[in-house]
Amino acid sequence: MILFISDTHCAYHLINEQIEYAQEELAIPVSCVIHLGDFGIFRPQLYDFFIRKNGSFLKPVYFIEGNHEDFDAFDSLMKKYNNVYFTYLSRSVVTEIEGYKFLSLGGSAYMDAMTTPTASVIKDHHIDDCLEIHSEGVDIIITHDCPQGIGVPNSPGLEVYGQTGFARGDELARHFSPKLWIFGHHHKWFELEKGNTRYLGLSGSRRGFALLGENYECMIINHHIPFKKPSFLSKALTFLRILRPNGPSH
Protein backbone atom coordinates (compact mmCIF):
# COMPACT_ATOMS: atom_id res chain seq x y z
CA MET A 1 0.00 0.00 0.00
CA ILE A 2 1.00 3.63 -0.52
CA LEU A 3 1.16 5.67 2.69
CA PHE A 4 0.19 9.34 2.41
CA ILE A 5 1.41 11.81 5.00
CA SER A 6 1.71 15.57 5.16
CA ASP A 7 3.16 18.49 7.08
CA THR A 8 6.11 16.96 8.91
CA HIS A 9 7.81 20.38 9.10
CA CYS A 10 11.32 18.89 9.40
CA ALA A 11 10.28 16.12 11.83
CA TYR A 12 11.36 13.51 9.28
CA HIS A 13 11.41 10.72 11.86
CA LEU A 14 7.62 10.84 11.97
CA ILE A 15 7.52 9.26 8.51
CA ASN A 16 9.35 6.18 9.75
CA GLU A 17 7.26 6.03 12.92
CA GLN A 18 4.03 6.01 10.94
CA ILE A 19 5.41 3.38 8.54
CA GLU A 20 6.32 1.22 11.52
CA TYR A 21 2.85 1.64 13.02
CA ALA A 22 1.19 0.58 9.75
CA GLN A 23 3.42 -2.45 9.29
CA GLU A 24 3.95 -3.65 12.85
CA GLU A 25 0.74 -2.69 14.64
CA LEU A 26 -1.75 -2.93 11.76
CA ALA A 27 0.12 -5.64 9.79
CA ILE A 28 -0.33 -3.62 6.59
CA PRO A 29 2.67 -3.66 4.25
CA VAL A 30 3.78 -0.26 2.96
CA SER A 31 5.41 -0.08 -0.46
CA CYS A 32 6.24 3.63 -0.51
CA VAL A 33 5.30 7.02 0.92
CA ILE A 34 3.90 10.11 -0.78
CA HIS A 35 4.37 13.27 1.26
CA LEU A 36 1.97 16.11 0.49
CA GLY A 37 4.09 19.13 1.35
CA ASP A 38 5.67 21.09 4.16
CA PHE A 39 8.19 18.29 4.20
CA GLY A 40 10.83 20.58 5.63
CA ILE A 41 13.33 21.42 2.92
CA PHE A 42 15.75 23.38 5.08
CA ARG A 43 19.52 22.99 4.91
CA PRO A 44 20.40 22.57 8.63
CA GLN A 45 17.65 20.04 9.33
CA LEU A 46 18.32 17.98 6.21
CA TYR A 47 22.02 17.89 6.99
CA ASP A 48 21.41 16.90 10.61
CA PHE A 49 19.06 14.03 9.79
CA PHE A 50 20.55 12.57 6.63
CA ILE A 51 24.27 13.39 6.89
CA ARG A 52 25.24 13.90 10.51
CA LYS A 53 22.92 11.23 11.92
CA ASN A 54 23.07 9.03 8.80
CA GLY A 55 19.28 8.88 8.76
CA SER A 56 17.19 7.28 6.05
CA PHE A 57 13.60 6.34 5.35
CA LEU A 58 12.30 2.80 5.70
CA LYS A 59 10.53 3.01 2.34
CA PRO A 60 10.94 5.13 -0.80
CA VAL A 61 9.55 8.61 -0.19
CA TYR A 62 8.11 10.92 -2.84
CA PHE A 63 7.19 14.49 -1.96
CA ILE A 64 5.66 17.68 -3.29
CA GLU A 65 6.56 21.07 -1.88
CA GLY A 66 4.35 22.97 0.53
CA ASN A 67 4.50 26.62 1.47
CA HIS A 68 6.97 26.09 4.34
CA GLU A 69 10.21 25.15 2.56
CA ASP A 70 13.40 27.11 1.96
CA PHE A 71 12.63 28.24 -1.57
CA ASP A 72 15.77 30.38 -1.80
CA ALA A 73 17.89 27.24 -1.42
CA PHE A 74 15.39 24.74 -2.87
CA ASP A 75 17.15 24.05 -6.17
CA SER A 76 20.58 23.61 -4.61
CA LEU A 77 19.17 21.33 -1.91
CA MET A 78 17.45 19.22 -4.55
CA LYS A 79 20.79 18.75 -6.33
CA LYS A 80 22.23 17.33 -3.11
CA TYR A 81 19.34 15.30 -1.66
CA ASN A 82 16.83 14.55 -4.44
CA ASN A 83 16.94 11.01 -5.86
CA VAL A 84 19.31 10.06 -3.07
CA TYR A 85 17.20 10.23 0.10
CA PHE A 86 13.80 11.02 -1.43
CA THR A 87 12.21 11.91 -4.78
CA TYR A 88 10.74 15.31 -5.58
CA LEU A 89 7.56 15.39 -7.69
CA SER A 90 7.56 18.74 -9.43
CA ARG A 91 4.49 20.78 -10.33
CA SER A 92 2.19 19.97 -13.25
CA VAL A 93 3.85 16.60 -13.86
CA VAL A 94 2.38 13.10 -13.99
CA THR A 95 4.27 10.29 -12.27
CA GLU A 96 3.22 6.65 -12.24
CA ILE A 97 3.60 5.05 -8.81
CA GLU A 98 2.33 1.58 -7.96
CA GLY A 99 0.15 1.54 -11.07
CA TYR A 100 -1.54 4.90 -10.42
CA LYS A 101 -0.92 8.03 -12.48
CA PHE A 102 -0.47 10.94 -10.07
CA LEU A 103 -0.67 14.59 -11.09
CA SER A 104 1.42 16.59 -8.62
CA LEU A 105 0.89 20.25 -7.79
CA GLY A 106 2.85 21.53 -4.83
CA GLY A 107 2.59 24.98 -3.29
CA SER A 108 -0.49 26.81 -2.08
CA ALA A 109 -2.73 29.81 -2.52
CA TYR A 110 -1.28 33.15 -1.42
CA MET A 111 -1.94 34.09 2.21
CA ASP A 112 0.73 36.63 3.13
CA ALA A 113 4.43 37.23 2.53
CA MET A 114 5.47 35.33 5.65
CA THR A 115 3.50 32.13 5.20
CA THR A 116 3.52 31.95 1.40
CA PRO A 117 6.79 33.03 -0.20
CA THR A 118 6.44 33.99 -3.85
CA ALA A 119 7.94 30.72 -5.08
CA SER A 120 5.39 28.69 -3.14
CA VAL A 121 2.31 30.29 -4.69
CA ILE A 122 0.30 28.30 -7.23
CA LYS A 123 -0.02 30.49 -10.32
CA ASP A 124 -2.15 30.38 -13.44
CA HIS A 125 0.63 28.93 -15.57
CA HIS A 126 0.85 25.91 -13.23
CA ILE A 127 -2.85 25.24 -13.80
CA ASP A 128 -2.48 25.84 -17.54
CA ASP A 129 0.39 23.34 -17.68
CA CYS A 130 -1.78 20.76 -15.93
CA LEU A 131 -4.62 21.31 -18.39
CA GLU A 132 -2.25 20.57 -21.29
CA ILE A 133 -2.12 16.96 -20.05
CA HIS A 134 -4.56 14.56 -21.69
CA SER A 135 -7.74 14.17 -19.67
CA GLU A 136 -7.25 10.41 -19.42
CA GLY A 137 -3.65 10.75 -18.33
CA VAL A 138 -4.38 11.25 -14.61
CA ASP A 139 -5.92 8.92 -12.02
CA ILE A 140 -5.24 10.84 -8.80
CA ILE A 141 -4.40 14.48 -8.10
CA ILE A 142 -2.08 15.24 -5.19
CA THR A 143 -1.69 18.81 -3.94
CA HIS A 144 -0.48 20.53 -0.81
CA ASP A 145 -3.37 23.00 -0.63
CA CYS A 146 -6.98 22.10 -1.34
CA PRO A 147 -8.89 23.40 -4.35
CA GLN A 148 -11.23 26.30 -3.64
CA GLY A 149 -14.91 25.64 -3.19
CA ILE A 150 -15.00 22.17 -1.63
CA GLY A 151 -15.78 23.42 1.87
CA VAL A 152 -12.58 22.92 3.84
CA PRO A 153 -13.10 25.09 6.93
CA ASN A 154 -10.59 27.74 7.90
CA SER A 155 -8.61 27.25 11.07
CA PRO A 156 -9.61 29.57 13.93
CA GLY A 157 -7.93 32.95 13.51
CA LEU A 158 -7.28 32.48 9.79
CA GLU A 159 -10.72 33.57 8.59
CA VAL A 160 -9.19 36.91 7.55
CA TYR A 161 -7.58 35.11 4.60
CA GLY A 162 -10.97 34.27 3.15
CA GLN A 163 -11.97 31.09 1.38
CA THR A 164 -9.59 28.16 1.72
CA GLY A 165 -7.81 26.70 -1.26
CA PHE A 166 -6.33 27.74 -4.57
CA ALA A 167 -8.27 29.02 -7.56
CA ARG A 168 -9.09 27.05 -10.71
CA GLY A 169 -9.03 23.68 -9.02
CA ASP A 170 -12.54 23.14 -10.38
CA GLU A 171 -11.06 23.28 -13.89
CA LEU A 172 -8.69 20.44 -13.01
CA ALA A 173 -11.55 18.42 -11.53
CA ARG A 174 -13.68 18.85 -14.66
CA HIS A 175 -10.80 18.13 -17.03
CA PHE A 176 -9.45 15.00 -15.34
CA SER A 177 -12.42 13.78 -13.27
CA PRO A 178 -9.95 12.05 -10.93
CA LYS A 179 -11.10 9.23 -8.67
CA LEU A 180 -9.13 10.74 -5.78
CA TRP A 181 -7.78 14.15 -4.85
CA ILE A 182 -5.57 14.09 -1.76
CA PHE A 183 -4.11 17.16 -0.02
CA GLY A 184 -2.62 18.41 3.26
CA HIS A 185 -1.81 21.96 4.40
CA HIS A 186 -4.86 22.57 6.60
CA HIS A 187 -3.87 20.18 9.39
CA LYS A 188 -7.34 18.66 9.63
CA TRP A 189 -9.09 15.57 8.34
CA PHE A 190 -11.53 16.30 5.54
CA GLU A 191 -13.57 14.11 3.24
CA LEU A 192 -16.02 14.91 0.47
CA GLU A 193 -17.56 13.09 -2.48
CA LYS A 194 -18.29 15.49 -5.32
CA GLY A 195 -19.06 14.27 -8.81
CA ASN A 196 -16.72 11.40 -9.62
CA THR A 197 -14.05 12.60 -7.19
CA ARG A 198 -13.38 11.76 -3.57
CA TYR A 199 -11.53 14.62 -1.86
CA LEU A 200 -9.41 13.61 1.10
CA GLY A 201 -7.60 16.09 3.35
CA LEU A 202 -4.92 14.87 5.73
CA SER A 203 -4.24 16.10 9.21
CA GLY A 204 -0.69 16.72 10.41
CA SER A 205 1.83 13.89 10.39
CA ARG A 206 1.59 13.44 14.17
CA ARG A 207 -2.12 12.66 13.91
CA GLY A 208 -2.08 9.93 11.32
CA PHE A 209 -1.92 9.11 7.63
CA ALA A 210 -3.86 7.54 4.77
CA LEU A 211 -3.30 4.23 3.02
CA LEU A 212 -4.10 3.59 -0.64
CA GLY A 213 -4.51 0.06 -1.91
CA GLU A 214 -5.98 -1.44 -5.05
CA ASN A 215 -9.04 -0.08 -6.86
CA TYR A 216 -8.64 3.37 -5.28
CA GLU A 217 -9.48 2.02 -1.82
CA CYS A 218 -8.12 4.67 0.53
CA MET A 219 -8.53 4.70 4.30
CA ILE A 220 -7.65 7.19 7.01
CA ILE A 221 -5.59 5.92 9.93
CA ASN A 222 -5.69 7.94 13.13
CA HIS A 223 -2.45 7.46 15.04
CA HIS A 224 -1.28 10.20 17.34
CA ILE A 225 2.44 10.57 18.02
CA PRO A 226 2.94 12.87 21.01
CA PHE A 227 5.79 15.32 21.30
CA LYS A 228 8.68 13.97 23.32
CA LYS A 229 9.96 16.09 26.15
CA PRO A 230 13.64 16.90 25.57
CA SER A 231 16.10 15.43 28.04
CA PHE A 232 18.22 17.61 30.29
CA LEU A 233 21.23 16.81 28.11
CA SER A 234 19.36 17.81 24.97
CA LYS A 235 18.31 21.10 26.54
CA ALA A 236 21.89 21.77 27.66
CA LEU A 237 23.29 21.06 24.19
CA THR A 238 20.67 23.31 22.59
CA PHE A 239 21.61 26.08 25.01
CA LEU A 240 25.31 25.66 24.17
CA ARG A 241 24.57 25.80 20.43
CA ILE A 242 22.74 29.08 20.95
CA LEU A 243 25.74 30.49 22.83
CA ARG A 244 28.33 29.05 20.46
CA PRO A 245 26.69 28.11 17.17
CA ASN A 246 28.94 25.82 15.18
CA GLY A 247 26.48 24.09 12.86
CA PRO A 248 27.63 23.08 9.37
CA SER A 249 27.04 25.33 6.40
CA HIS A 250 26.60 22.46 3.96
Side-chain angles (χ1 to χ4, degrees):
M1 283 195 165
I2 301 175
L3 187 150
F4 290 85
I5 196 168
S6 188
D7 298 271
T8 47
H9 294 276
C10 299
Y12 316 118
H13 65 279
L14 295 175
I15 296 173
N16 284 340
E17 291 187 40
Q18 297 291 23
I19 292 171
E20 288 174 340
Y21 179 78
Q23 297 197 137
E24 297 174 12
E25 299 298 324
L26 304 180
I28 297 175
V30 173
S31 56
C32 64
V33 174
I34 296 180
H35 191 293
L36 299 179
D38 285 358
F39 181 85
I41 300 299
F42 292 94
R43 192 182 305 275
Q45 287 81 3
L46 290 170
Y47 181 87
D48 184 65
F49 183 81
F50 292 109
I51 308 300
R52 191 176 72 82
K53 295 178 180 176
N54 198 31
S56 62
F57 293 126
L58 298 174
K59 297 292 178 178
V61 171
Y62 303 87
F63 88 98
I64 60 176
E65 73 271 39
N67 55 304
H68 293 295
E69 323 284 4
D70 184 352
F71 288 98
D72 289 336
F74 194 91
D75 291 343
S76 64
L77 291 171
M78 287 304 97
K79 289 178 182 178
K80 182 178 180 69
Y81 293 96
N82 188 32
N83 296 319
V84 179
Y85 300 101
F86 45 71
T87 300
Y88 169 52
L89 305 178
S90 56
R91 298 188 195 188
S92 311
V93 168
V94 176
T95 306
E96 185 167 331
I97 302 171
E98 299 293 320
Y100 292 111
K101 292 172 287 188
F102 291 93
L103 172 63
S104 52
L105 184 59
S108 70
Y110 181 79
M111 294 174 66
D112 57 44
M114 179 176 293
T115 55
T116 42
T118 301
S120 74
V121 177
I122 296 173
K123 298 183 172 68
D124 279 337
H125 72 85
H126 297 128
I127 304 296
D128 293 338
D129 289 343
C130 289
L131 294 173
E132 289 294 320
I133 299 168
H134 193 280
S135 61
E136 296 182 359
V138 170
D139 300 318
I140 300 171
I141 297 178
I142 52 174
T143 55
H144 179 59
D145 201 355
C146 66
Q148 267 183 13
I150 64 170
V152 176
N154 243 320
S155 298
L158 299 183
E159 296 86 356
V160 65
Y161 293 113
Q163 184 179 191
T164 57
F166 63 91
R168 300 183 63 194
D170 58 329
E171 295 179 42
L172 299 181
R174 286 196 301 270
H175 182 70
F176 294 111
S177 192
K179 295 284 188 181
L180 274 172
W181 187 321
I182 313 176
F183 58 90
H185 186 50
H186 297 280
H187 293 248
K188 55 172 67 73
W189 300 116
F190 178 85
E191 194 165 0
L192 173 72
E193 299 270 353
K194 186 176 182 181
N196 296 319
T197 303
R198 179 188 178 196
Y199 295 89
L200 186 62
L202 302 188
S203 191
S205 54
R206 288 189 179 276
R207 298 176 183 170
F209 52 91
L211 289 170
L212 173 66
E214 297 179 350
N215 300 316
Y216 300 92
E217 293 184 5
C218 192
M219 55 183 171
I220 289 173
I221 305 295
N222 284 284
H223 177 234
H224 181 251
I225 301 175
F227 286 92
K228 295 177 181 178
K229 291 184 178 181
S231 65
F232 174 79
L233 178 60
S234 176
K235 289 180 180 178
L237 290 173
T238 300
F239 180 69
L240 289 173
R241 288 193 192 102
I242 292 172
L243 292 179
R244 298 180 62 186
N246 59 356
S249 58
H250 301 276

